[in-house]
Amino acid sequence: MRHSIRFMTLMLCSVAAAASAHAGELPRLRTEDGRHALLVDGKPYLMLGAQVHNSSNYPSVLPQVWPVMQALSANTIEIPVAWEQFEPTEGRFDYSWVDTLLAQARKNDMRVVLLWFGSWKNGDSTYTPEWVKSDTKRFPRLQKRDGRPTTTLSPLGEATLAADRKAFVALMRHLREVDREHTVIMVQVENEIGSHGVARDYSPAAERLFAQQVPEDIRRASGKQSGTWAEVFGKEADQAFAAWTYARFVQEVAVAGKAEKNLPLYTNAAVFDATGTAMAAQVASGGPNWNVLPIWKTAAPALDLIGPDLYLPLEKTYLGLLDRYARPDNALFVPETSNAIWAVRFFWAALGRGAIGWAPFGMDATSYSNYPLGARKLDPATIEAFAAPYRLFRPIARDWAAIASKHPTWGTAKNSAGEDSTSMGSWKISVTYGRNNFDIPWPGMEPPPWAKEPVGGGVVAQLGPNEFLVAGQYSRFQFMPVDPAVNGQIMSAEEGTFIDGRWQASRRWNGDQISYGFNFNEQPALLRVKLSTY
Ligand code: DGJ
């Protein structure tokens, strides 16, 4: 066990030392043995993200953005750059927004994930410049079955692809030129692609393509027999076809952008139901919903990952969707989640699944609210709910990311059962929620005030056979040997943090804090726990 601690310390020290040598290195995604890390300045980085509201992409709004980012202890801001503001006149690019943003982000010690609101934003094409919107001949729209056009651009429009790609290339080239320190660590290509209310383009050109054979690579990736789209995908044919057409478009844009600056690129998914596809044809059809991920992965390999936007306050759906997107071939990143307090607990669940980042949406002081998806009001209590775990992780964002990219992790969020469990190695980990600190059920011995609230969670990283990092809030963690014939005991539980890559204990937890399990209350804490058997 000592051995493993020394190894850990050594490993973390050498990671820290290597970092300075790698400052200036391009951000990139590393995948080893099915675990992922986003490398920023050459070393792992956990994005404690926050996304602003949709219309906060103007210099006039930034004063209402940074104080919220600071209050949150976020280390990464996600913020749009819209095609309509970037290329208001065809061929003339306006870099002023990006330049202002980068300068202020650096002053605020914030990394940036830039969101390219290009041809599609939430399935529609409202962020395109007016010269695109006004020329439906050059930039064709999705057509409904009855031939009527929509406001959404067709992914089959060749001029649309050329124009979007040209603008995106200009953006990435500018980043190459002006962002030598890589303040921008990742770029989102488009936003929540996928049409609503119409399953795909039914234009004559689309119909011709739809009648053809499914390309071999798509068929194979989807595990299907050969045939036309309708033959191969049946009920899901429209959605699958749409996914292929959008993914091909995004691939072209991404490849051209990467040729200018090879940053990690991703796109985000408007997801529905983690278990069925019933709504697939009606909601965000063609977007990278989990059921068409094989199509997206095959047709858009230039994307480093696809991230789910998670707004539904249903535990099974949220956790199920985290599982759908946490894959050996897809690093888990939640680019958007609700900024209502219920969502905080899923931060822990995402971390436990190896997430490289997570970000509540609508985090600025413009006083707009996207309720009921998000908080009705971004009041101090709501900000504090998100800030509490971020404060714990901000100083150790790199340490955690390094550990999670090499060690098994597990996360839990409060559920309606009030308990959760797993086993890691020879230890069973049981978590309970909403119990009083002594687990006394007698009358008068009240549960804690948060017992009925949708709050609480925690995360574990296994450092060695009997050694764990455990962090949590509003939860109790107990460790028992998996084998009931074996007795287990706690050797030590140090509360602490990492400083310059080294574990720094501030005190030991003992007595009331651990006798009934590790009792995490309002203040999130990080423990290094050593166990043994006797
Ligand atoms: C998901 C989108 O990606 C965001 O831009 C925003 O529209 C939210 N939905 C809703 O507030």
Side-chain angles (χ1 to χ4, degrees):
M1 192 154 44
R2 289 207 135 251
H3 194 75
S4 74
I5 299 164
R6 219 174 294 135
F7 171 74
M8 261 284 303
T9 314
L10 273 175
M11 188 191 89
L12 292 167
C13 287
S14 57
V15 167
S20 48
H22 292 123
E25 212 174 82
L26 271 172
R28 70 182 171 92
L29 207 67
R30 181 185 75 195
T31 298
E32 279 170 13
D33 302 327
R35 291 184 217 280
H36 310 282
L38 174 65
L39 304 186
V40 173
D41 298 331
K43 66 171 185 164
Y45 178 90
L46 171 67
M47 288 181 281
L48 301 166
Q51 184 167 153
V52 299
H53 279 296
N54 281 168
S55 306
S56 299
N57 53 320
Y58 290 88
S60 61
V61 187
L62 284 178
Q64 290 159 284
V65 167
W66 302 121
V68 176
M69 294 292 145
Q70 298 299 357
L72 284 168
S73 274
N75 62 13
T76 306
I77 182 173
E78 296 174 15
I79 190 160
V81 48
W83 191 1
E84 64 177 351
Q85 76 184 139
F86 187 63
E87 195 184 3
T89 307
E90 187 169 10
R92 293 180 57 181
F93 299 105
D94 181 347
Y95 301 107
S96 59
W97 160 238
V98 173
D99 292 345
T100 304
L101 173 66
L102 292 193
Q104 294 195 20
R106 287 173 192 141
K107 275 204 191 111
N108 281 276
D109 194 18
M110 205 69 61
R111 296 290 179 136
V112 176
V113 172
L114 213 47
L115 315 174
W116 172 239
F117 284 10
S119 292
W120 298 285
K121 154 73 174 77
N122 293 27
D124 213 339
S125 302
T126 58
Y127 279 86
T128 56
E130 290 180 31
W131 53 269
V132 172
K133 284 180 186 154
S134 56
D135 193 344
T136 55
K137 208 151 174 250
R138 190 171 155 214
F139 306 112
R141 308 283 180 80
L142 279 190
Q143 277 183 31
K144 298 185 181 175
R145 272 185 201 276
D146 61 10
R148 276 184 302 150
T150 63
T151 49
T152 301
L153 288 168
S154 166
L156 300 175
E158 282 171 26
T160 310
L161 170 58
D164 188 322
R165 182 175 52 202
K166 187 173 165 199
F168 190 69
V169 161
L171 176 65
M172 298 300 281
R173 181 178 306 144
H174 190 64
L175 292 183
R176 168 161 60 76
E177 286 164 359
V178 304
D179 190 22
R180 300 274 162 82
E181 59 209 79
H182 315 310
T183 297
V184 175
I185 54 175
M186 194 145 89
V187 181
Q188 179 184 294
V189 188
E190 315 294 345
N191 187 90
E192 286 201 351
I193 283 175
S195 55
H196 297 257
V198 47
R200 65 171 172 89
D201 191 2
Y202 292 95
S203 66
E207 289 297 87
R208 279 195 297 280
L209 208 52
F210 185 73
Q212 289 179 11
Q213 298 281 299
V214 172
E216 194 51 23
D217 55 350
I218 300 293
R219 180 194 73 68
R220 225 177 306 117
S222 309
K224 307 271 193 185
Q225 304 293 323
S226 56
T228 62
W229 288 91
E231 287 163 357
V232 171
F233 289 99
K235 281 203 309 304
E236 290 171 14
D238 290 337
Q239 189 206 4
F241 174 78
W244 175 64
T245 55
Y246 281 116
R248 282 199 314 170
F249 185 113
V250 168
Q251 168 71 3
E252 298 278 323
V253 174
V255 165
K258 279 199 168 205
E260 292 297 333
K261 183 162 187 180
N262 192 9
L263 285 176
L265 301 181
Y266 75 99
T267 199
N268 59 337
V271 286
F272 31 89
D273 191 346
T275 52
T277 57
M279 287 158 74
Q282 295 306 319
V283 179
S285 180
N289 194 59
W290 62 267
N291 69 317
V292 289
L293 273 184
I295 297 178
W296 269 86
K297 288 278 172 194
T298 306
L303 292 179
D304 292 84
L305 66 91
I306 288 166
D309 294 345
L310 301 175
Y311 286 94
L312 283 183
L314 309 170
E315 68 203 36
K316 278 208 177 102
T317 304
Y318 202 114
L319 297 173
L321 288 166
L322 287 178
D323 289 335
R324 294 283 187 192
Y325 286 83
R327 306 167 18 146
D329 67 347
N330 194 67
L332 180 61
F333 171 46
V334 180
E336 291 180 37
T337 195
S338 172
N339 66 352
I341 288 176
W342 64 259
V344 175
R345 70 193 200 276
F346 293 108
F347 168 69
W348 305 101
L351 279 194
R353 287 161 173 81
I356 60 165
W358 185 84
F361 173 91
M363 290 305 203
D364 61 45
T366 52
S367 79
Y368 185 78
S369 156
N370 71 341
Y371 181 83
L373 298 180
R376 196 186 285 276
K377 199 164 182 285
L378 193 59
D379 53 21
T382 304
I383 292 182
E384 175 54 25
F386 286 88
Y390 273 22
R391 265 198 309 273
L392 182 70
F393 276 88
R394 178 144 190 183
I396 62 161
R398 289 189 179 275
D399 307 280
W400 177 266
I403 290 164
S405 71
K406 299 280 180 201
H407 296 267
T409 55
W410 178 74
T412 171
K414 184 186 181 183
N415 53 24
S416 38
E419 53 191 37
D420 203 355
S421 65
T422 192
S423 45
M424 295 177 92
S426 54
W427 294 94
K428 176 167 189 224
I429 304 171
S430 306
V431 184
T432 50
Y433 293 101
R435 308 265 185 95
N436 65 48
N437 282 338
F438 297 91
D439 225 358
I440 304 179
W442 308 327
M445 294 290 127
E446 300 286 327
W450 57 82
K452 293 205 161 71
E453 302 295 323
V455 298
V459 67
V460 180
Q462 186 171 21
L463 303 180
N466 300 316
E467 189 185 348
F468 297 85
L469 284 178
V470 189
Q473 186 184 23
Y474 303 119
S475 55
R476 170 184 300 147
F477 278 68
Q478 282 164 304
F479 288 71
M480 306 281 273
V482 170
D483 181 351
V486 173
N487 297 309
Q489 64 185 348
I490 299 166
M491 299 300 283
S492 66
E494 293 177 344
E495 182 179 2
T497 189
F498 288 93
I499 297 180
D500 296 331
R502 276 176 209 276
W503 175 253
Q504 188 84 38
S506 52
R507 61 170 176 165
R508 280 185 173 221
W509 276 22
N510 209 332
D512 289 349
Q513 282 75 28
I514 71 167
S515 297
Y516 295 83
F518 302 111
N519 277 332
F520 296 103
N521 288 189
E522 288 100 324
Q523 263 325 304
L526 176 66
L527 304 177
R528 194 180 83 181
V529 172
K530 286 194 267 171
L531 308 166
S532 72
T533 54
Y534 61 94

